[in-house]
Amino acid sequence: MDGNDATAQGIVTGGHHSQARARSRVRWLPRPRTAGVLLILLCLLLLVLLPELIWGHSARTPAPSALNQAPSADHWLGTDALGRDVLERTLVAGRLSISLSVLALGIGVVSGLVLGGLAAAAGRRIATVISGTIAVLVAFPSLMMALFLAVIFGSGAEGSTLAIGFALTPYFARVTENASRTALVSDYVAAARCLGVRGPVLYARHVLPSVSGPVLTSASVFSGTTLLAFASLSFLGLGVTDPSIDWGSMLDNGLGQLYTNPALALGPSLAIVIVAIAFNTIGETLTSDRRRRRTVHGRTAPPERVNDNRKDVGAGLGPYLLRVEGLAVEADGLRGGNAPVVDFGLSLRAGERVGLVGESGSGKSLSIVSLIKLDAPGTTAHADVHYFDGDDLNKIRAGRVLRKRLAGRIGLVGQDPMSALNPVVGIGSQMVEETVVHGHRSRRDAKRLAVRVLEAVGIQGAGDRLRSRPHQFSGGMRQRVAIGMALMDDPALIVADEPTTALDATVQLQVLELLRKSTEDTNAALLLVSHDLGVIANLCTRVLVMYGGRIVEELEAGDLRRAQHPYTRALVESVPDLEAARERRLNTIPGRPPEPANRPGGCVFAPRCPRAQADCVERVPQLEQSGPSRVACFHPIPDGRSPGTTLSGPRRDGGSHEGSSAHA
Ligand SMILES: Nc1ncnc2c1ncn2[C@@H]1O[C@H](COP(=O)(O)OP(=O)(O)OP(=O)(O)O)[C@@H](O)[C@H]1O
């Protein structure tokens, strides 16, 4: 083990306290970016309120003594054909331009919420019609739609506001529909339904709070577009008309004299660009704040994002981060019941750590790569329900669009850090490249971040190690680097596929602690695949047990010793226990899991199961609630009892008799 490895845990833990102190010191200071946005909002507000009060009259009153003057000390942007100061008019026009944009945005948001909510919650036929209509309307460019509607609603401030507002409706409806569908399949909505909450009340109380985040984020992003749409309509003579002024109508006037008095068009053009950038900056900040949580990089997050998934579960707040139902992975020639993965389902909340365990060949790897839309070669995956972080992945076109959408939101930590890192490229370049390619940061920022991440994962002298190649690190350090790489973009989900298999026992512990700390710091969810039940029990709160391509049991990690499925129990009893009597023989499970093509009918585990009975070979048991767990077994072990029959007992089928290690 490397010195770095030996001390890394201490560094990480020690750093925690000093970070906490630093955090408490700066808790009440707004981040520079937030302060910048507040400043922008204040400026916009002043722009809406003050110029009208100060120059409202003079900006509209002709001044025959100063017609068409060029920019000067008295008139910074010159005067127009009636002698009015262009700068004053530009500032006064801001009131209508900004307030009408906000109003149109409000119309778009409210109508989108209603339409999208109906598309998600109405009966199947109505929902299909509304959803289809939204899909068609979204396909139209919003400006074309606004032009079309402006003809219907008429020109002028009112008509153009309604036209632009309703032109935005389909976009907000689409966002609302997607977010509502995610919320509607959540457990807390099911629980509310059980309590008799229905209809609009259910929607307002339990669905709307989940929808409001993405809708508000979209609204801020669309605000820039709305402003430009107003300018375009006024420019075309369909928007604000004399004596009122907005930037679009000023542009309309200015363009006629572009060659004789260019400042006339320059004023409103600059104003549109500056305010559109301001709106988009606000939108971007909201978007990134929503995605980004407090991280090991030292950036901060809202206090409510601090890891506390129990609070989340208890209060039923927020939708799942990841929800998959009916996932099947088919390989060439292996379909239906013989597909490598059949009917896999998983719901994961932000900050939650879930373990996936099962013997080799049970389908763990295929399931997780399909969960994150990285289909293994030669296989195809499809799921009935597949939501991630507010996105319905079934609705996003596979390929580049999907990849771009998921970029940086999922961090993958593989088994072998050597194969995860390019051996001929310095680790700094690899870390920087990923995040720059995702378009999330400039190269310089990414480099600074890489140093902070490496420090956080316990690499000493991180700045100097950026140029080091993977072979210059020990195995444990390489895995730390791989974890650091996965954390670079602040992912919402970390998927770790047997991350400690290639490491020795002491380094394993440090890497697991690092994963725990990283997920706690960032509130990222963790899906951990491991053969080692001890690892899973130590790190995860919930465990999914796979066998023969299916989930056979889902239980709390603390309940593993009371597992009800004979397979899970056999796995648990095969783990050495320091408290158990030394003479106690460890269990082994006879035989080995069948290949997908040779799976028996009925319960796949039946041929190796000491509790199997006639019905087990006739039907496939489905995952059903049994006490606190969900079990797919016709004859589960009653809570607290031992399986009754030795698991290394005689076999019932003609399959292989080579005893497989009972370790998963
Ligand atoms: N491309 C493929 N085509 C056909 N069968 C496949 C393909 N990939 C995997 N399989 C089969 O699917 C089953 C599940 O494989 P998977 O790699 O998901 O298992 P696993 O539980 O992750 O095993 P391990 O723990 O050894 O990684 C295996 O029997 C494997 O042989």
Side-chain angles (χ1 to χ4, degrees), residues 297-311:
H297 323 138
R299 283 172 285 149
T300 55
E304 65 268 23
R305 298 303 304 260
V306 171
N307 181 35
D308 187 0
N309 56 33
R310 284 164 187 275
K311 185 178 74 184

Side-chain angles (χ1 to χ4, degrees), residues 265-290:
L266 187 67
S269 306
L270 280 178
I272 289 172
V273 171
I274 291 168
V275 174
I277 291 173
F279 276 165
N280 284 334
T281 308
I282 297 169
E284 243 176 52
T285 307
L286 282 182
T287 313
S288 62
D289 278 359
R290 186 176 157 252

Side-chain angles (χ1 to χ4, degrees), residues 20-279:
R21 275 196 301 276
R23 271 201 302 277
S24 68
R25 271 201 302 275
V26 298
R27 183 167 291 169
W28 302 107
L29 291 177
R31 286 189 297 154
R33 201 166 165 179
T34 312
V37 165
L38 289 177
L39 194 67
I40 292 172
L41 279 174
L42 186 70
C43 291
L44 289 179
L45 196 67
L46 292 178
L47 187 60
V48 167
L49 296 178
L50 287 187
E52 179 71 34
L53 290 176
I54 302 173
W55 301 292
H57 182 67
S58 62
R60 289 189 183 85
T61 312
S65 57
L67 304 184
N68 275 329
Q69 287 190 355
S72 65
D74 288 340
H75 305 286
W76 289 6
L77 286 178
T79 60
D80 65 6
L82 295 178
R84 298 168 298 194
D85 185 283
V86 175
L87 181 59
E88 284 178 10
R89 279 178 71 75
T90 305
L91 293 172
V92 170
R95 188 176 72 115
L96 262 191
S97 292
I98 295 172
S99 50
L100 289 185
S101 298
V102 172
L103 197 62
L105 217 48
I107 293 174
V109 167
V110 173
S111 52
L113 278 175
V114 173
L115 200 63
L118 281 174
R124 230 181 77 193
R125 276 198 197 148
I126 299 177
T128 309
V129 172
I130 299 177
S131 192
T133 312
I134 293 173
V136 171
L137 293 178
V138 163
F140 281 97
S142 53
L143 194 57
M144 275 206 17
M145 177 79 80
L147 278 172
F148 173 71
L149 291 174
V151 174
I152 297 175
F153 290 118
S155 60
E158 279 172 25
S160 55
T161 307
L162 288 172
I164 293 171
F166 286 120
L168 292 174
T169 304
Y171 298 95
F172 290 113
R174 171 46 55 84
V175 174
T176 306
E177 184 190 348
N178 287 345
S180 303
R181 282 190 195 282
T182 312
L184 282 166
V185 293
S186 63
D187 282 355
Y188 59 85
V189 169
R193 281 201 173 115
C194 287
L195 292 173
V197 186
R198 301 222 181 273
V201 178
L202 178 83
Y203 195 79
R205 273 211 209 138
H206 298 280
V207 180
L208 210 53
S210 319
V211 172
S212 58
V215 168
L216 284 178
T217 305
S218 309
S220 58
V221 173
F222 266 114
S223 51
T225 318
T226 313
L227 190 76
L228 293 175
F230 263 103
S232 308
L233 283 194
S234 295
F235 178 67
L236 294 172
L238 290 168
V240 173
T241 47
D242 259 354
S244 303
I245 42 169
D246 76 339
W247 292 327
S249 58
M250 284 187 71
L251 258 185
D252 186 23
N253 290 334
L255 282 188
Q257 299 176 55
L258 195 60
Y259 294 108
T260 51
N261 190 358
L264 273 183
L266 187 67
S269 306
L270 280 178
I272 289 172
V273 171
I274 291 168
V275 174
I277 291 173
F279 276 165

Side-chain angles (χ1 to χ4, degrees), residues 533-534 537 543 545 553 555-565 568-580 584 586-587 629 637-643:
L533 265 179
V543 186
V545 184
E553 186 160 13
L555 69 171
E556 295 295 314
D559 287 340
L560 272 168
R561 293 220 161 268
R562 292 187 295 278
Q564 298 174 53
H565 198 287
T568 318
R569 190 66 80 88
L571 291 180
V572 173
E573 296 190 349
S574 68
V575 176
D577 182 350
L578 286 177
E579 290 166 20
R584 198 196 118 204
L586 283 178
N587 273 319
S629 313
I637 303 164
D639 187 25
R641 289 217 223 132
S642 99

Side-chain angles (χ1 to χ4, degrees), residues 557-641:
D559 287 340
L560 272 168
R561 293 220 161 268
R562 292 187 295 278
Q564 298 174 53
H565 198 287
Y567 177 61
T568 318
R569 190 66 80 88
L571 291 180
V572 173
E573 296 190 349
S574 68
V575 176
D577 182 350
L578 286 177
E579 290 166 20
R582 282 177 63 192
E583 58 276 12
R584 198 196 118 204
R585 283 174 64 93
L586 283 178
N587 273 319
T588 54
I589 309 177
R592 51 174 52 176
E595 280 295 314
N598 302 323
R599 281 188 198 143
C603 172
V604 186
F605 186 58
R608 303 172 74 192
C609 177
R611 297 177 67 85
Q613 295 179 25
D615 51 350
C616 298
V617 291
E618 285 161 10
R619 288 179 296 129
V620 179
Q622 301 300 316
L623 207 55
E624 278 170 11
Q625 200 71 38
S626 173
S629 313
R630 293 203 305 152
V631 189
C633 180
F634 293 127
H635 308 285
I637 303 164
D639 187 25
R641 289 217 223 132

Side-chain angles (χ1 to χ4, degrees), residues 331 334 340 359-367 377-379 415 498 531 595-596:
L334 294 171
E359 278 169 291
S360 188
S362 55
K364 305 180 297 295
S365 299
L366 285 182
S367 302
T379 66
Q415 251 178 54
E498 299 176 27
H531 284 111
E595 280 295 314

